[in-house]
PDB file of all heavy atoms in Angstrom:
ATOM      1  N   LEU A   1      12.923   4.037  -1.210  1.00 86.00           N
ATOM      2  CA  LEU A   1      12.651   2.727  -1.757  1.00 86.00           C
ATOM      3  C   LEU A   1      11.151   2.414  -1.804  1.00 86.00           C
ATOM      4  O   LEU A   1      10.675   1.798  -2.787  1.00 86.00           O
ATOM      5  CB  LEU A   1      13.357   1.622  -0.912  1.00 86.00           C
ATOM      6  CG  LEU A   1      14.894   1.585  -0.954  1.00 86.00           C
ATOM      7  CD1 LEU A   1      15.406   0.477  -0.044  1.00 86.00           C
ATOM      8  CD2 LEU A   1      15.401   1.375  -2.373  1.00 86.00           C
ATOM      9  N   LEU A   2      10.430   2.878  -0.803  1.00 86.00           N
ATOM     10  CA  LEU A   2       8.981   2.616  -0.773  1.00 86.00           C
ATOM     11  C   LEU A   2       8.227   3.556  -1.730  1.00 86.00           C
ATOM     12  O   LEU A   2       7.147   3.225  -2.207  1.00 86.00           O
ATOM     13  CB  LEU A   2       8.476   2.743   0.629  1.00 86.00           C
ATOM     14  CG  LEU A   2       9.109   1.714   1.619  1.00 86.00           C
ATOM     15  CD1 LEU A   2       8.464   1.890   3.008  1.00 86.00           C
ATOM     16  CD2 LEU A   2       8.931   0.308   1.150  1.00 86.00           C
ATOM     17  N   VAL A   3       8.792   4.733  -1.941  1.00 88.00           N
ATOM     18  CA  VAL A   3       8.226   5.636  -2.959  1.00 88.00           C
ATOM     19  C   VAL A   3       8.383   5.000  -4.350  1.00 88.00           C
ATOM     20  O   VAL A   3       7.434   4.978  -5.159  1.00 88.00           O
ATOM     21  CB  VAL A   3       8.884   7.000  -2.901  1.00 88.00           C
ATOM     22  CG1 VAL A   3       8.438   7.873  -4.101  1.00 88.00           C
ATOM     23  CG2 VAL A   3       8.554   7.731  -1.582  1.00 88.00           C
ATOM     24  N   ILE A   4       9.568   4.497  -4.637  1.00 86.00           N
ATOM     25  CA  ILE A   4       9.817   3.846  -5.902  1.00 86.00           C
ATOM     26  C   ILE A   4       8.919   2.630  -6.090  1.00 86.00           C
ATOM     27  O   ILE A   4       8.438   2.353  -7.167  1.00 86.00           O
ATOM     28  CB  ILE A   4      11.325   3.396  -6.009  1.00 86.00           C
ATOM     29  CG1 ILE A   4      12.231   4.626  -6.080  1.00 86.00           C
ATOM     30  CG2 ILE A   4      11.570   2.519  -7.250  1.00 86.00           C
ATOM     31  CD1 ILE A   4      13.697   4.329  -5.931  1.00 86.00           C
ATOM     32  N   ALA A   5       8.651   1.911  -4.971  1.00 78.00           N
ATOM     33  CA  ALA A   5       7.780   0.738  -5.031  1.00 78.00           C
ATOM     34  C   ALA A   5       6.302   1.102  -5.224  1.00 78.00           C
ATOM     35  O   ALA A   5       5.474   0.226  -5.453  1.00 78.00           O
ATOM     36  CB  ALA A   5       7.942  -0.099  -3.775  1.00 78.00           C
ATOM     37  N   GLY A   6       5.996   2.391  -5.106  1.00 80.00           N
ATOM     38  CA  GLY A   6       4.635   2.866  -5.302  1.00 80.00           C
ATOM     39  C   GLY A   6       3.741   2.811  -4.060  1.00 80.00           C
ATOM     40  O   GLY A   6       2.547   3.047  -4.156  1.00 80.00           O
ATOM     41  N   LEU A   7       4.361   2.538  -2.899  1.00 80.00           N
ATOM     42  CA  LEU A   7       3.552   2.442  -1.645  1.00 80.00           C
ATOM     43  C   LEU A   7       3.421   3.781  -0.950  1.00 80.00           C
ATOM     44  O   LEU A   7       2.453   3.982  -0.231  1.00 80.00           O
ATOM     45  CB  LEU A   7       4.221   1.421  -0.715  1.00 80.00           C
ATOM     46  CG  LEU A   7       4.356  -0.013  -1.264  1.00 80.00           C
ATOM     47  CD1 LEU A   7       5.035  -0.901  -0.237  1.00 80.00           C
ATOM     48  CD2 LEU A   7       3.003  -0.577  -1.638  1.00 80.00           C
ATOM     49  N   LEU A   8       4.393   4.637  -1.146  1.00 89.00           N
ATOM     50  CA  LEU A   8       4.383   5.983  -0.505  1.00 89.00           C
ATOM     51  C   LEU A   8       4.477   7.031  -1.569  1.00 89.00           C
ATOM     52  O   LEU A   8       4.988   6.812  -2.667  1.00 89.00           O
ATOM     53  CB  LEU A   8       5.533   6.127   0.479  1.00 89.00           C
ATOM     54  CG  LEU A   8       5.588   5.155   1.660  1.00 89.00           C
ATOM     55  CD1 LEU A   8       6.893   5.381   2.460  1.00 89.00           C
ATOM     56  CD2 LEU A   8       4.391   5.277   2.553  1.00 89.00           C
ATOM     57  N   GLU A   9       3.970   8.235  -1.232  1.00 89.00           N
ATOM     58  CA  GLU A   9       4.150   9.390  -2.112  1.00 89.00           C
ATOM     59  C   GLU A   9       4.470  10.613  -1.255  1.00 89.00           C
ATOM     60  O   GLU A   9       3.937  10.792  -0.171  1.00 89.00           O
ATOM     61  CB  GLU A   9       2.886   9.632  -2.968  1.00 89.00           C
ATOM     62  CG  GLU A   9       1.654   9.993  -2.201  1.00 89.00           C
ATOM     63  CD  GLU A   9       0.479  10.324  -3.127  1.00 89.00           C
ATOM     64  OE1 GLU A   9       0.740  10.625  -4.303  1.00 89.00           O
ATOM     65  OE2 GLU A   9      -0.676  10.272  -2.665  1.00 89.00           O
ATOM     66  N   ARG A  10       5.367  11.431  -1.771  1.00 90.00           N
ATOM     67  CA  ARG A  10       5.707  12.672  -1.098  1.00 90.00           C
ATOM     68  C   ARG A  10       4.882  13.833  -1.681  1.00 90.00           C
ATOM     69  O   ARG A  10       4.745  13.930  -2.877  1.00 90.00           O
ATOM     70  CB  ARG A  10       7.192  12.956  -1.273  1.00 90.00           C
ATOM     71  CG  ARG A  10       8.134  12.034  -0.472  1.00 90.00           C
ATOM     72  CD  ARG A  10       9.539  12.563  -0.502  1.00 90.00           C
ATOM     73  NE  ARG A  10      10.448  11.833   0.399  1.00 90.00           N
ATOM     74  CZ  ARG A  10      11.215  10.815  -0.005  1.00 90.00           C
ATOM     75  NH1 ARG A  10      11.172  10.467  -1.276  1.00 90.00           N
ATOM     76  NH2 ARG A  10      11.992  10.227   0.846  1.00 90.00           N
ATOM     77  N   LYS A  11       4.382  14.661  -0.784  1.00 87.00           N
ATOM     78  CA  LYS A  11       3.618  15.818  -1.212  1.00 87.00           C
ATOM     79  C   LYS A  11       4.391  17.046  -0.732  1.00 87.00           C
ATOM     80  O   LYS A  11       4.625  17.217   0.501  1.00 87.00           O
ATOM     81  CB  LYS A  11       2.207  15.802  -0.621  1.00 87.00           C
ATOM     82  CG  LYS A  11       1.361  14.687  -1.161  1.00 87.00           C
ATOM     83  CD  LYS A  11      -0.075  14.740  -0.620  1.00 87.00           C
ATOM     84  CE  LYS A  11      -0.926  13.588  -1.161  1.00 87.00           C
ATOM     85  NZ  LYS A  11      -2.304  13.630  -0.621  1.00 87.00           N
ATOM     86  N   HIS A  12       4.829  17.882  -1.660  1.00 84.00           N
ATOM     87  CA  HIS A  12       5.721  18.996  -1.344  1.00 84.00           C
ATOM     88  C   HIS A  12       5.069  19.910  -0.300  1.00 84.00           C
ATOM     89  O   HIS A  12       3.930  20.332  -0.435  1.00 84.00           O
ATOM     90  CB  HIS A  12       5.989  19.787  -2.646  1.00 84.00           C
ATOM     91  CG  HIS A  12       6.949  20.916  -2.444  1.00 84.00           C
ATOM     92  ND1 HIS A  12       8.285  20.692  -2.133  1.00 84.00           N
ATOM     93  CD2 HIS A  12       6.769  22.248  -2.410  1.00 84.00           C
ATOM     94  CE1 HIS A  12       8.863  21.878  -1.988  1.00 84.00           C
ATOM     95  NE2 HIS A  12       7.974  22.838  -2.160  1.00 84.00           N
ATOM     96  N   GLY A  13       5.814  20.147   0.758  1.00 81.00           N
ATOM     97  CA  GLY A  13       5.380  21.025   1.798  1.00 81.00           C
ATOM     98  C   GLY A  13       4.384  20.436   2.757  1.00 81.00           C
ATOM     99  O   GLY A  13       3.905  21.079   3.678  1.00 81.00           O
ATOM    100  N   SER A  14       4.067  19.157   2.538  1.00 84.00           N
ATOM    101  CA  SER A  14       3.042  18.531   3.391  1.00 84.00           C
ATOM    102  C   SER A  14       3.599  17.315   4.149  1.00 84.00           C
ATOM    103  O   SER A  14       3.366  17.122   5.351  1.00 84.00           O
ATOM    104  CB  SER A  14       1.833  18.112   2.548  1.00 84.00           C
ATOM    105  OG  SER A  14       0.897  17.425   3.316  1.00 84.00           O
ATOM    106  N   GLY A  15       4.321  16.442   3.411  1.00 87.00           N
ATOM    107  CA  GLY A  15       4.858  15.232   4.063  1.00 87.00           C
ATOM    108  C   GLY A  15       4.766  14.017   3.123  1.00 87.00           C
ATOM    109  O   GLY A  15       4.589  14.138   1.925  1.00 87.00           O
ATOM    110  N   THR A  16       4.902  12.867   3.747  1.00 91.00           N
ATOM    111  CA  THR A  16       4.837  11.599   2.982  1.00 91.00           C
ATOM    112  C   THR A  16       3.622  10.821   3.396  1.00 91.00           C
ATOM    113  O   THR A  16       3.320  10.701   4.600  1.00 91.00           O
ATOM    114  CB  THR A  16       6.108  10.770   3.251  1.00 91.00           C
ATOM    115  OG1 THR A  16       7.267  11.573   2.926  1.00 91.00           O
ATOM    116  CG2 THR A  16       6.117   9.505   2.412  1.00 91.00           C
ATOM    117  N   TYR A  17       2.895  10.286   2.396  1.00 89.00           N
ATOM    118  CA  TYR A  17       1.636   9.665   2.661  1.00 89.00           C
ATOM    119  C   TYR A  17       1.613   8.235   2.086  1.00 89.00           C
ATOM    120  O   TYR A  17       2.325   7.938   1.108  1.00 89.00           O
ATOM    121  CB  TYR A  17       0.492  10.471   2.077  1.00 89.00           C
ATOM    122  CG  TYR A  17       0.301  11.790   2.744  1.00 89.00           C
ATOM    123  CD1 TYR A  17       1.102  12.898   2.382  1.00 89.00           C
ATOM    124  CD2 TYR A  17      -0.643  11.995   3.761  1.00 89.00           C
ATOM    125  CE1 TYR A  17       0.955  14.114   3.040  1.00 89.00           C
ATOM    126  CE2 TYR A  17      -0.776  13.224   4.401  1.00 89.00           C
ATOM    127  CZ  TYR A  17       0.023  14.276   4.024  1.00 89.00           C
ATOM    128  OH  TYR A  17      -0.099  15.485   4.649  1.00 89.00           O
ATOM    129  N   ILE A  18       0.758   7.382   2.666  1.00 86.00           N
ATOM    130  CA  ILE A  18       0.602   6.030   2.160  1.00 86.00           C
ATOM    131  C   ILE A  18      -0.297   6.070   0.912  1.00 86.00           C
ATOM    132  O   ILE A  18      -1.418   6.516   0.926  1.00 86.00           O
ATOM    133  CB  ILE A  18      -0.053   5.120   3.219  1.00 86.00           C
ATOM    134  CG1 ILE A  18       0.870   5.032   4.477  1.00 86.00           C
ATOM    135  CG2 ILE A  18      -0.332   3.713   2.659  1.00 86.00           C
ATOM    136  CD1 ILE A  18       0.265   4.307   5.655  1.00 86.00           C
ATOM    137  N   LYS A  19       0.316   5.660  -0.186  1.00 83.00           N
ATOM    138  CA  LYS A  19      -0.376   5.704  -1.485  1.00 83.00           C
ATOM    139  C   LYS A  19      -1.084   4.380  -1.788  1.00 83.00           C
ATOM    140  O   LYS A  19      -2.211   4.357  -2.310  1.00 83.00           O
ATOM    141  CB  LYS A  19       0.656   6.020  -2.587  1.00 83.00           C
ATOM    142  CG  LYS A  19       0.047   6.126  -3.982  1.00 83.00           C
ATOM    143  CD  LYS A  19       1.161   6.434  -5.000  1.00 83.00           C
ATOM    144  CE  LYS A  19       0.579   6.541  -6.418  1.00 83.00           C
ATOM    145  NZ  LYS A  19       1.658   6.808  -7.397  1.00 83.00           N
ATOM    146  N   GLU A  20      -0.405   3.313  -1.497  1.00 76.00           N
ATOM    147  CA  GLU A  20      -0.980   1.977  -1.735  1.00 76.00           C
ATOM    148  C   GLU A  20      -0.486   1.008  -0.642  1.00 76.00           C
ATOM    149  O   GLU A  20       0.505   1.265   0.043  1.00 76.00           O
ATOM    150  CB  GLU A  20      -0.533   1.426  -3.086  1.00 76.00           C
ATOM    151  CG  GLU A  20      -1.068   2.140  -4.316  1.00 76.00           C
ATOM    152  CD  GLU A  20      -2.535   1.901  -4.585  1.00 76.00           C
ATOM    153  OE1 GLU A  20      -3.053   0.933  -3.986  1.00 76.00           O
ATOM    154  OE2 GLU A  20      -3.136   2.654  -5.348  1.00 76.00           O
ATOM    155  N   LYS A  21      -1.201  -0.101  -0.509  1.00 68.00           N
ATOM    156  CA  LYS A  21      -0.701  -1.177   0.304  1.00 68.00           C
ATOM    157  C   LYS A  21      -0.377  -2.357  -0.595  1.00 68.00           C
ATOM    158  O   LYS A  21      -0.851  -2.420  -1.748  1.00 68.00           O
ATOM    159  CB  LYS A  21      -1.748  -1.623   1.348  1.00 68.00           C
ATOM    160  CG  LYS A  21      -1.923  -0.580   2.460  1.00 68.00           C
ATOM    161  CD  LYS A  21      -2.704  -1.225   3.616  1.00 68.00           C
ATOM    162  CE  LYS A  21      -2.737  -0.301   4.829  1.00 68.00           C
ATOM    163  NZ  LYS A  21      -3.235  -0.975   6.048  1.00 68.00           N
ATOM    164  N   ASP A  22       0.444  -3.254  -0.093  1.00 63.00           N
ATOM    165  CA  ASP A  22       0.717  -4.483  -0.858  1.00 63.00           C
ATOM    166  C   ASP A  22      -0.540  -5.263  -1.028  1.00 63.00           C
ATOM    167  O   ASP A  22      -1.523  -5.087  -0.297  1.00 63.00           O
ATOM    168  CB  ASP A  22       1.767  -5.302  -0.181  1.00 63.00           C
ATOM    169  CG  ASP A  22       3.189  -4.705  -0.283  1.00 63.00           C
ATOM    170  OD1 ASP A  22       3.552  -4.271  -1.393  1.00 63.00           O
ATOM    171  OD2 ASP A  22       3.887  -4.664   0.724  1.00 63.00           O
ATOM    172  N   VAL A  23      -0.555  -6.161  -2.004  1.00 56.00           N
ATOM    173  CA  VAL A  23      -1.691  -7.050  -2.264  1.00 56.00           C
ATOM    174  C   VAL A  23      -2.055  -7.737  -0.934  1.00 56.00           C
ATOM    175  O   VAL A  23      -1.190  -8.323  -0.283  1.00 56.00           O
ATOM    176  CB  VAL A  23      -1.372  -8.078  -3.351  1.00 56.00           C
ATOM    177  CG1 VAL A  23      -2.521  -9.037  -3.538  1.00 56.00           C
ATOM    178  CG2 VAL A  23      -1.070  -7.382  -4.646  1.00 56.00           C
ATOM    179  N   HIS A  24      -3.321  -7.691  -0.599  1.00 50.00           N
ATOM    180  CA  HIS A  24      -3.736  -8.115   0.733  1.00 50.00           C
ATOM    181  C   HIS A  24      -5.071  -8.784   0.637  1.00 50.00           C
ATOM    182  O   HIS A  24      -5.942  -8.389  -0.120  1.00 50.00           O
ATOM    183  CB  HIS A  24      -3.821  -6.843   1.614  1.00 50.00           C
ATOM    184  CG  HIS A  24      -4.474  -7.054   2.933  1.00 50.00           C
ATOM    185  ND1 HIS A  24      -5.875  -7.068   3.085  1.00 50.00           N
ATOM    186  CD2 HIS A  24      -3.991  -7.254   4.192  1.00 50.00           C
ATOM    187  CE1 HIS A  24      -6.176  -7.250   4.324  1.00 50.00           C
ATOM    188  NE2 HIS A  24      -5.082  -7.376   5.021  1.00 50.00           N
ATOM    189  N   HIS A  25      -5.256  -9.866   1.377  1.00 47.00           N
ATOM    190  CA  HIS A  25      -6.613 -10.367   1.570  1.00 47.00           C
ATOM    191  C   HIS A  25      -6.814 -10.905   2.957  1.00 47.00           C
ATOM    192  O   HIS A  25      -5.880 -11.306   3.630  1.00 47.00           O
ATOM    193  CB  HIS A  25      -6.961 -11.430   0.503  1.00 47.00           C
ATOM    194  CG  HIS A  25      -6.351 -12.779   0.692  1.00 47.00           C
ATOM    195  ND1 HIS A  25      -5.341 -13.259  -0.108  1.00 47.00           N
ATOM    196  CD2 HIS A  25      -6.601 -13.749   1.620  1.00 47.00           C
ATOM    197  CE1 HIS A  25      -5.004 -14.501   0.297  1.00 47.00           C
ATOM    198  NE2 HIS A  25      -5.757 -14.813   1.307  1.00 47.00           N
ATOM    199  N   GLU A  26      -8.089 -10.875   3.382  1.00 47.00           N
ATOM    200  CA  GLU A  26      -8.465 -11.399   4.693  1.00 47.00           C
ATOM    201  C   GLU A  26      -9.224 -12.650   4.506  1.00 47.00           C
ATOM    202  O   GLU A  26     -10.190 -12.708   3.711  1.00 47.00           O
ATOM    203  CB  GLU A  26      -9.312 -10.354   5.418  1.00 47.00           C
ATOM    204  CG  GLU A  26      -9.687 -10.770   6.858  1.00 47.00           C
ATOM    205  CD  GLU A  26     -10.413  -9.680   7.573  1.00 47.00           C
ATOM    206  OE1 GLU A  26     -10.262  -8.520   7.234  1.00 47.00           O
ATOM    207  OE2 GLU A  26     -11.169 -10.007   8.514  1.00 47.00           O
ATOM    208  N   ASN A  27      -8.860 -13.686   5.246  1.00 46.00           N
ATOM    209  CA  ASN A  27      -9.458 -14.987   5.010  1.00 46.00           C
ATOM    210  C   ASN A  27     -10.146 -15.500   6.258  1.00 46.00           C
ATOM    211  O   ASN A  27      -9.551 -15.650   7.292  1.00 46.00           O
ATOM    212  CB  ASN A  27      -8.318 -16.023   4.651  1.00 46.00           C
ATOM    213  CG  ASN A  27      -8.864 -17.180   3.878  1.00 46.00           C
ATOM    214  OD1 ASN A  27     -10.006 -17.208   3.462  1.00 46.00           O
ATOM    215  ND2 ASN A  27      -8.030 -18.196   3.705  1.00 46.00           N
ATOM    216  N   ALA A  28     -11.475 -15.778   6.106  1.00 44.00           N
ATOM    217  CA  ALA A  28     -12.229 -16.301   7.222  1.00 44.00           C
ATOM    218  C   ALA A  28     -12.817 -17.635   6.885  1.00 44.00           C
ATOM    219  O   ALA A  28     -13.377 -18.326   7.707  1.00 44.00           O
ATOM    220  CB  ALA A  28     -13.361 -15.341   7.559  1.00 44.00           C
ATOM    221  N   SER A  29     -12.668 -18.075   5.625  1.00 45.00           N
ATOM    222  CA  SER A  29     -13.164 -19.383   5.186  1.00 45.00           C
ATOM    223  C   SER A  29     -12.360 -19.874   4.006  1.00 45.00           C
ATOM    224  O   SER A  29     -11.561 -19.098   3.459  1.00 45.00           O
ATOM    225  CB  SER A  29     -14.650 -19.285   4.796  1.00 45.00           C
ATOM    226  OG  SER A  29     -14.845 -18.386   3.700  1.00 45.00           O
ATOM    227  N   LEU A  30     -12.532 -21.147   3.646  1.00 46.00           N
ATOM    228  CA  LEU A  30     -11.774 -21.720   2.536  1.00 46.00           C
ATOM    229  C   LEU A  30     -12.212 -21.160   1.238  1.00 46.00           C
ATOM    230  O   LEU A  30     -13.345 -21.329   0.806  1.00 46.00           O
ATOM    231  CB  LEU A  30     -11.908 -23.239   2.551  1.00 46.00           C
ATOM    232  CG  LEU A  30     -11.166 -23.996   1.418  1.00 46.00           C
ATOM    233  CD1 LEU A  30      -9.663 -23.759   1.544  1.00 46.00           C
ATOM    234  CD2 LEU A  30     -11.460 -25.479   1.471  1.00 46.00           C
ATOM    235  N   LYS A  31     -11.285 -20.511   0.529  1.00 48.00           N
ATOM    236  CA  LYS A  31     -11.582 -19.944  -0.801  1.00 48.00           C
ATOM    237  C   LYS A  31     -10.340 -20.099  -1.668  1.00 48.00           C
ATOM    238  O   LYS A  31      -9.241 -20.163  -1.168  1.00 48.00           O
ATOM    239  CB  LYS A  31     -11.958 -18.467  -0.729  1.00 48.00           C
ATOM    240  CG  LYS A  31     -13.271 -18.146  -0.046  1.00 48.00           C
ATOM    241  CD  LYS A  31     -13.555 -16.667  -0.046  1.00 48.00           C
ATOM    242  CE  LYS A  31     -14.884 -16.371   0.643  1.00 48.00           C
ATOM    243  NZ  LYS A  31     -15.150 -14.924   0.667  1.00 48.00           N
ATOM    244  N   GLY A  32     -10.584 -20.192  -2.996  1.00 49.00           N
ATOM    245  CA  GLY A  32      -9.474 -20.201  -3.926  1.00 49.00           C
ATOM    246  C   GLY A  32      -8.880 -18.835  -4.122  1.00 49.00           C
ATOM    247  O   GLY A  32      -9.509 -17.828  -3.748  1.00 49.00           O
ATOM    248  N   PHE A  33      -7.694 -18.810  -4.709  1.00 54.00           N
ATOM    249  CA  PHE A  33      -6.992 -17.541  -4.919  1.00 54.00           C
ATOM    250  C   PHE A  33      -7.812 -16.560  -5.772  1.00 54.00           C
ATOM    251  O   PHE A  33      -7.922 -15.364  -5.434  1.00 54.00           O
ATOM    252  CB  PHE A  33      -5.649 -17.819  -5.612  1.00 54.00           C
ATOM    253  CG  PHE A  33      -4.774 -16.616  -5.778  1.00 54.00           C
ATOM    254  CD1 PHE A  33      -4.138 -16.021  -4.687  1.00 54.00           C
ATOM    255  CD2 PHE A  33      -4.584 -16.055  -7.014  1.00 54.00           C
ATOM    256  CE1 PHE A  33      -3.311 -14.939  -4.840  1.00 54.00           C
ATOM    257  CE2 PHE A  33      -3.773 -14.924  -7.209  1.00 54.00           C
ATOM    258  CZ  PHE A  33      -3.139 -14.377  -6.114  1.00 54.00           C
TER     259      PHE A  33
END
């Protein structure tokens, strides 16, 4: 399911790796979107 969502990818003979993270932001002050 996470491969289909584009977050993980399988590499043959190597394993599964994190391809992307969900949209993310870090907020330390007031800002617009």
Side-chain angles (χ1 to χ4, degrees):
L1 291 180
L2 300 182
V3 170
I4 293 171
L7 301 179
L8 299 176
E9 64 175 340
R10 287 191 174 94
K11 295 183 179 180
H12 184 68
S14 177
T16 303
Y17 294 82
I18 298 173
K19 181 180 180 182
E20 293 287 346
K21 288 196 173 191
D22 286 315
V23 176
H24 168 279
H25 75 251
E26 183 175 336
N27 203 11
S29 61
L30 179 62
K31 293 182 180 179
F33 185 72

